[in-house]
Amino acid sequence: MSTHVLGPAEAIPEGEGRAFVVGGEQVAVFRLRGGALRAVQAQCPHRGGPLADGLVDAEVVVCPLHGYAYELADGCARSGAGALLVYDVEADPAGQLVVRLPGRRVEEVGGAAQARLEDAFAEPVA
Amino acid sequence: MTMTLTAPEPTRPDTRSRLVVIGNGMAGARAVEEVLARGGGDLFAVEVFGEEPYGNYNRILLSEVLAGNAATEEIYLNPVEWYAEHGVTFHCGVRVVRVDRFAKLVYGNDGSIVRYDKLVIATGSRSFFPPLEGMWQDLKTLTPGVFGFRGLDDTAEMMRHAPDHDVAVVIGGGLLGLEAARGLQNYGMTTHVVHAAPTLMNQQLDAQAGRILQRSVEKLGITVHCNVRTTAVLGEEKVTGVRFGDGSALDCDMVVMTAGIRPNVELARRAGLTVERAIVVDDQLRSVDDDDVYVVGECAQHRGQVYGLVAPLWEQAGVLADHLTGVNPRASYHGSRVATKLKVAGVDVAAMGLKEPEHEDDEFVQFSEPRRGVYKTVIVRGGKLVGATLLGDVSKVAFLTQAFDRGLPLPEERIKLLFDIGGPSPEVGAAELADDAQVCNCNGVTKGQLVACVRGGEHTVSGVMNATRAGKGCGSCKSLVKDVCEWAAGGAVEQDPSERWYVPGVPLEKAELMAAIRERELKSVSAVFAALAPEGKEDAGSKMALASLLRTMWNDEYVDERDARFVNDRVHANIQRDGTFSVVPQMKGGVTTPEQLRTIADVADKYAVPLVKVTGGQRIDLLGVRKEDLPKVWADLGMPSGYAYGKSFRTVKTCVGSDFCRFGVGDSTALGIAIEDRYKGLDSPAKMKLAVAGCPRNCSEALVKDVGAVAVEGGRWEVYVGGAAGAHVRKGDLLATVDTPEEVVTLTGRFMQYYRENADWLERTYSFVPRVGIEHLRAVIVDDSEGIAADLDRRMQESVDAYKDPWLEAGQPATPGQFRTSLPLVELPQVPVRPAP
């Protein structure tokens, strides 16, 4: 597990997302209306679309290329695509964005959803 | 005292009522399934008597078995084991010989006696054997070589007999007879169909259709003898021929009787139940004489009707089960509207309702093309479809069936009931499509996937579209997706109320939504969610539509929240597959200058633009621009945005018009520039592409644009609306012919404002115009029948006044990081740089 500080949360306009390079990975961080933060992988698993450019609400981000929607909380696709990696993200008392690697991915295992650590992202850079 | 924990519980006496079903055909078995599906297994101990020594099979497919297209085991619906697995006692191969309604007992021909509390009679029907001399060897034995065609045993015997015999005569030219004749050809037999009526399938088809069908059938090598009565079967030990009413004879070594069916009602009659053409039942499918006896299927007569098709039988079984199990004690059967679609001996036939007009004022539309074997009729009464016949071409069957079942409104031009004129996917109705046929060409969704989704429990069209993504691309397949869903659900597709909402996240139709927004002065997307969405919940899928609507309504009073915009509208460019953008500067009417071209060329060089392309709207597109370069590109261009990315007014295409063209009768270029100058960038429910043509040659394709103006001789202009030549092709409807270019500009604006205020989200004018009707549009927009023309013009003017070139944001970004890349590690552009050819 590694911790990364990405700058002030205000750098992300409310209700939008911005992409960051975190420990060598592309991460899309969203500041939802009301202030909640969410972080997922920056590229859509469908065709590589830029998810930080997507429309969001309290629950989902919609990829701007083909309209695939993903749950921001656990990365699950709402319509037939692979799941997103999701990252822990919060604002520290100074208002700085803090993201933790590695991400988690929810996978269908024997019909039941299980979270597992993504081994590929186990090695922190920073 | 010790207690033995493992002691078995004493067997409880079965306190359930006893339900006995006589008949294991499609009706009886379906009734049992429906009862079990409603938890009837807890209410009833179910026992089924089936005379045929098999499980339940699909009788409709017997002709497929005969033709060798299906194996016997393939047509089983429920094998014998199914009954035990579902707790049903099955008296297999046992015929019921007597019902004692007073003692409530059923007697089987194997000596069994079973008591019932509730009885279901589903004895079906049997082949009708007309009294022919020589057909029977004795009271029970047909002359060898003579066959009925009703059950698996009949079929098996025919299949054994056919291969080493040469000539088959099928008596009866209805559906079953034609199928039998076609099937027997597969065994190398020469086949004849002998029919007593003047034309084939006269139960379902009128005389002309019957004659066309006859030609088609004869082309297949089947000899048809119509208007011919058979009087005798010839041959002592075995069939050697048949004799006809005129005394002539035909040699043959096989005879198949398909001269109709008769309901099996003897058992019921002996039990004292009222029998007319079949056993008479009430709306709950109970015998009119006995509340404990239900009757279902071909042996039931309901309100004078006896049905011989499977769809009514399913409806009956559903009502019976609802009532019997008490799931819905008010369940009631009101008869079925029978629509059939069949392949008769390789010829497509669909028939529903009346086959011929009955009243003097019935509308009757008829199309006949005997050479191709195509014949179509529709009968309309009081604006509703009451009958239709399709022969040889059943492409319209899906719509006609729906119109017939539900009394849908019909197109004013009745010919459209028979043919698709300018519609998408013209040839194929939903039912006709092969399973692997791609319905949604954008997202690659096949009919089979849609059907599987419906069968998997998705009961609304929007649910299916969400789950499969069908119809979520260009949207032009939506109506076909809907047809397929309805077909797959057997018409039981549920209306999703959200389909009528303007956006999925706010449960209001457009007019209600606009009224609420106006009344409560909601000027931002977040305010709309807070005030009108359930629990104030925001919805990503609704934001773009709401932003567009609010801007349309409030113009410069609109509180612009950038997060409600789609990315294209956030950065004023069109996102491409690799996350780069395309930049299209405004080029009014497609007119440019050497200076503009030089600037564009310099920009393309400076930013290494991978592709420079002329667009369909007569502009120049710079493709593959990185997001972070956008403000610099705009600044260097020094031209306004061409809005080639929004759900908005896009462009006006023009021809060179009267200044240069030797045919030009109007200055199309000047008018196109004037229209674009005035209405540039307007938000709308879907994009609007316009054109102006300087003469009726229409070089700028004005007839297939959302709004198109065409100059005609005499200095006048025709204004067309609702045209399209993209995912959908449609010629625009003539809105008006006017005398001046100024009037064209005014009418264009008034139409676009009406469209902006009344169209559904993403509803292009090619759908909107036919939906509201060109007559209505002419009345409102040209003749001002509702007195709103001045208001429309005023609101349009407000929008025009609020225009601001979005590319002026280049200097000062509207939000932090507005033009920051969203894929920081991806080397962009990824699109290939195309060398000049």
Side-chain angles (χ1 to χ4, degrees):
Chain A
M1 184 77 76
S2 63
T3 303
H4 306 259
V5 179
L6 306 180
E10 272 74 50
I12 306 174
E14 193 177 21
E16 293 192 37
R18 292 290 181 259
F20 298 86
V21 178
V22 185
E25 298 305 325
Q26 301 184 112
V27 177
V29 182
F30 298 91
R31 190 154 72 94
L32 307 183
R33 288 199 158 258
L37 294 166
R38 298 282 185 271
V40 301
Q41 72 185 60
Q43 267 189 298
C44 179
H46 172 230
R47 293 276 170 85
L51 290 172
D53 282 337
L55 283 158
V56 294
D57 57 29
E59 290 164 8
V60 298
V61 55
V62 182
C63 177
L65 289 195
H66 304 99
Y68 279 68
Y70 301 89
E71 300 282 349
L72 287 165
D74 60 14
C76 285
R78 284 235 173 135
S79 39
L84 302 179
L85 277 169
V86 296
Y87 302 88
D88 288 330
V89 58
E90 61 183 12
D92 69 12
Q96 296 286 307
L97 281 176
V98 178
V99 170
R100 285 190 193 85
L101 259 57
R104 290 167 283 113
R105 177 171 291 156
V106 171
E107 294 200 359
E108 292 289 321
V109 179
Q114 289 190 355
R116 74 174 174 89
L117 291 175
E118 184 65 22
D119 298 333
F121 297 93
E123 200 173 288
V125 174
Chain B
M1 196 177 107
T2 43
M3 251 169 63
T4 313
L5 290 171
T6 51
E9 275 190 61
T11 317
R12 287 225 191 97
D14 193 342
T15 57
R16 297 177 298 175
S17 298
R18 300 175 67 89
L19 173 65
V20 173
V21 180
I22 305 175
N24 188 42
M26 296 182 75
R30 181 72 171 206
V32 171
E33 286 180 9
E34 295 278 2
V35 166
L36 295 180
R38 286 162 178 74
D42 299 332
L43 300 172
F44 296 107
V46 184
E47 299 199 27
V48 177
F49 284 86
E51 182 177 350
E52 289 187 82
Y54 311 108
N56 168 243
Y57 59 87
N58 187 341
R59 201 179 297 282
I60 298 166
L61 294 180
L62 284 176
S63 52
E64 293 289 307
V65 174
L66 176 66
N69 298 333
T72 306
E73 53 271 21
E74 284 175 45
I75 71 165
Y76 277 109
L77 297 170
N78 297 318
V80 174
E81 309 82 61
W82 180 90
Y83 298 86
E85 286 163 13
H86 289 78
V88 174
T89 309
F90 182 31
H91 301 267
C92 183
V94 178
R95 185 161 53 87
V96 171
V97 293
R98 193 179 143 220
V99 174
D100 182 340
R101 288 200 290 124
F102 302 98
K104 293 199 162 181
L105 295 175
V106 165
Y107 295 78
N109 68 346
D110 62 344
S112 56
I113 302 173
V114 174
R115 192 177 62 75
Y116 70 84
D117 295 302
K118 299 285 181 185
L119 182 67
V120 175
I121 299 179
T123 43
S125 51
R126 61 175 185 277
S127 294
F128 169 59
F129 291 95
L132 297 188
E133 183 189 321
M135 188 160 65
W136 299 92
Q137 278 193 322
D138 58 48
L139 281 177
K140 283 187 167 175
T141 317
L142 288 163
T143 302
V146 178
F147 300 87
F149 186 24
R150 183 67 193 159
L152 264 182
D153 287 345
D154 297 331
T155 311
E157 284 169 27
M158 284 165 72
M159 290 168 76
R160 270 196 295 276
H161 183 86
D164 41 13
H165 292 80
D166 300 319
V167 181
V169 171
V170 176
I171 298 177
L175 167 65
L176 203 57
L178 294 172
E179 287 286 4
R182 182 68 176 146
L184 290 172
Q185 280 189 309
N186 290 352
Y187 298 86
M189 298 192 83
T190 302
T191 57
H192 297 258
V193 171
V194 181
H195 193 49
T199 53
L200 293 177
M201 277 186 77
N202 51 306
Q203 291 285 323
Q204 292 86 12
L205 303 178
D206 67 17
Q208 204 169 340
R211 280 193 293 274
I212 290 174
L213 178 62
Q214 180 173 343
R215 286 176 56 140
S216 301
V217 168
E218 282 172 340
K219 271 190 200 157
L220 300 170
I222 297 168
T223 311
V224 178
H225 310 258
C226 277
N227 240 340
V228 171
R229 206 160 47 84
T230 311
T231 53
V233 172
L234 306 177
E236 293 289 320
E237 295 300 310
K238 56 179 188 178
V239 169
T240 58
V242 289
R243 188 162 61 230
F244 299 132
D246 64 359
S248 65
L250 179 63
D251 288 343
C252 68
D253 46 19
M254 180 171 187
V255 170
V256 179
M257 299 302 303
T258 56
I261 55 170
R262 293 291 181 270
N264 289 318
V265 294
E266 290 70 21
L267 190 67
R269 187 178 277 130
R270 284 202 307 276
L273 300 175
T274 303
V275 174
E276 292 171 2
R277 290 164 59 211
I279 309 164
V280 180
V281 298
D282 63 14
D283 285 353
Q284 281 68 44
L285 282 315
R286 291 173 301 188
S287 157
V288 291
D289 309 287
D290 189 334
D291 282 354
D292 292 327
V293 177
Y294 293 78
V295 186
V296 66
E298 292 177 333
C299 60
Q301 175 183 326
H302 173 261
R303 298 191 186 180
Q305 292 287 325
V306 180
Y307 298 97
L309 293 162
V310 70
L313 168 168
W314 286 1
E315 289 177 46
Q316 291 177 355
V319 171
L320 181 155
D322 275 346
H323 190 260
L324 182 61
T325 58
V327 165
N328 176 9
R330 293 160 159 233
S332 177
Y333 177 69
H334 302 291
S336 296
R337 298 172 73 85
V338 179
T340 49
K341 183 180 157 293
L342 326 147
K343 229 180 175 61
V344 186
V347 181
D348 286 312
V349 178
M352 60 200 80
L354 303 182
K355 59 175 180 168
E356 283 161 314
E358 288 174 345
H359 299 175
E360 223 163 66
D361 51 358
D362 283 350
E363 293 176 54
F364 184 52
V365 185
Q366 191 178 26
F367 173 82
S368 174
E369 194 179 353
R371 192 186 53 81
R372 276 206 310 140
V374 174
Y375 180 77
K376 307 179 182 196
T377 64
V378 289
I379 301 157
V380 177
R381 181 181 298 167
K384 304 272 185 249
L385 186 69
V386 293
T389 302
L390 300 173
L391 187 65
D393 169 12
V394 293
S395 56
K396 292 296 283 179
V397 71
F399 174 76
L400 289 175
T401 307
Q402 286 174 32
F404 177 74
D405 281 346
R406 299 183 209 164
L408 298 181
L410 304 177
E412 231 3 77
E413 293 172 66
R414 304 298 196 214
I415 190 78
K416 286 183 179 163
L417 289 164
L418 299 181
F419 299 96
D420 278 304
I421 300 171
S425 305
E427 326 71 14
V428 273
E432 278 299 279
L433 286 173
D435 254 10
D436 59 357
Q438 191 156 293
V439 173
C440 174
N441 288 325
C442 291
N443 290 329
V445 184
T446 62
K447 175 186 171 184
Q449 289 169 293
L450 293 175
V451 171
C453 187
V454 172
R455 304 257 154 89
E458 195 57 68
H459 291 305
T460 66
V461 177
S462 54
V464 171
M465 285 171 55
N466 282 333
T468 61
R469 309 209 50 74
K472 294 275 188 176
C474 73
S476 63
C477 64
K478 273 186 197 166
S479 69
L480 186 56
V481 171
K482 187 158 168 277
D483 286 351
V484 170
C485 291
E486 292 184 337
W487 173 83
V493 72
E494 287 157 25
Q495 178 74 32
D496 180 351
S498 69
E499 280 166 28
R500 316 219 20 149
W501 304 344
Y502 192 61
V503 295
V506 181
L508 294 171
E509 293 179 28
K510 182 165 187 175
E512 304 163 348
L513 175 63
M514 288 175 70
I517 287 171
R518 208 171 290 122
E519 189 187 323
R520 302 168 77 162
E521 303 212 343
L522 306 171
K523 296 185 180 175
S524 71
V525 172
S526 61
V528 172
F529 285 130
L532 303 177
E535 296 163 32
K537 220 169 103 180
E538 58 170 352
D539 173 48
S542 303
K543 288 186 171 182
M544 186 184 182
L546 288 175
S548 163
L549 183 66
L550 290 172
R551 185 188 295 280
T552 299
M553 293 177 66
W554 296 113
N555 298 304
D556 44 14
E557 287 178 63
Y558 166 61
V559 178
D560 184 4
E561 293 166 340
R562 289 300 172 121
D563 64 305
R565 295 184 176 204
F566 183 60
V567 63
N568 284 8
D569 300 310
R570 290 182 191 170
V571 302
H572 322 299
N574 197 347
I575 192 164
Q576 305 295 306
R577 56 183 304 165
D578 63 348
T580 61
F581 291 82
S582 102
V583 172
V584 179
Q586 187 183 67
M587 198 169 277
K588 290 179 208 163
V591 177
T592 183
T593 62
E595 190 191 347
Q596 263 191 353
L597 292 173
R598 265 183 219 109
T599 308
I600 291 171
D602 288 343
V603 167
D605 274 343
K606 181 170 172 185
Y607 297 96
V609 171
L611 181 66
V612 182
K613 193 180 177 311
V614 176
T615 72
Q618 298 184 338
R619 292 134 24 124
I620 292 177
D621 196 348
L622 305 172
L623 289 133
V625 178
R626 288 186 293 267
K627 196 175 171 192
E628 51 274 36
D629 286 341
L630 288 171
K632 291 176 276 180
V633 167
W634 301 332
D636 287 355
L637 283 171
M639 298 165 68
S641 167
Y643 275 96
Y645 45 81
K647 301 301 175 199
S648 60
F649 179 99
R650 291 281 185 90
T651 159
V652 184
K653 199 170 164 179
T654 69
C655 64
V656 291
S658 49
D659 276 1
F660 289 88
C661 178
R662 68 184 193 279
F663 300 116
V665 296
D667 189 350
S668 50
T669 320
L671 178 54
I673 291 172
I675 293 174
E676 184 161 349
D677 193 41
R678 179 164 169 76
Y679 300 119
K680 56 187 179 283
L682 281 175
D683 288 275
S684 58
K687 61 187 171 188
M688 299 190 290
K689 296 176 161 184
L690 287 74
V692 181
C695 83
R697 285 174 185 75
N698 257 305
C699 295
S700 58
E701 296 158 355
L703 292 182
V704 288
K705 294 294 178 185
D706 294 291
V707 181
V710 180
V712 293
E713 192 53 62
R716 290 159 64 82
W717 293 88
E718 293 176 338
V719 180
Y720 291 86
V721 294
H728 183 88
V729 179
R730 181 177 193 273
K731 180 175 182 261
D733 295 321
L734 181 64
L735 180 68
T737 305
V738 297
D739 294 324
T740 63
E742 290 72 30
E743 286 172 90
V744 175
V745 174
T746 305
L747 281 189
T748 297
R750 201 179 291 161
F751 167 76
M752 290 195 300
Q753 185 65 20
Y754 189 77
Y755 166 69
R756 288 177 354 129
E757 294 179 6
N758 291 284
D760 291 331
W761 177 241
L762 301 185
E763 181 182 33
R764 292 288 301 268
T765 63
Y766 68 71
S767 302
F768 174 75
V769 170
R771 176 164 70 82
V772 300
I774 187 65
E775 293 83 6
H776 175 76
L777 288 170
R778 272 189 211 124
V780 172
I781 290 161
V782 184
D783 304 330
D784 196 15
S785 62
E786 295 180 2
I788 60 170
D791 290 335
L792 290 169
D793 291 350
R794 178 180 51 76
R795 291 196 289 268
M796 176 52 93
Q797 185 63 45
E798 287 168 8
S799 290
V800 167
D801 293 341
Y803 168 80
K804 222 171 84 199
D805 175 22
W807 285 3
L808 298 176
E809 272 175 19
Q812 37 192 316
T815 59
Q818 183 182 4
F819 300 107
R820 234 174 68 190
T821 178
S822 284
L823 295 172
L825 291 182
V826 179
E827 184 80 17
L828 294 177
Q830 295 208 311
V831 288
V833 177
R834 195 180 294 272

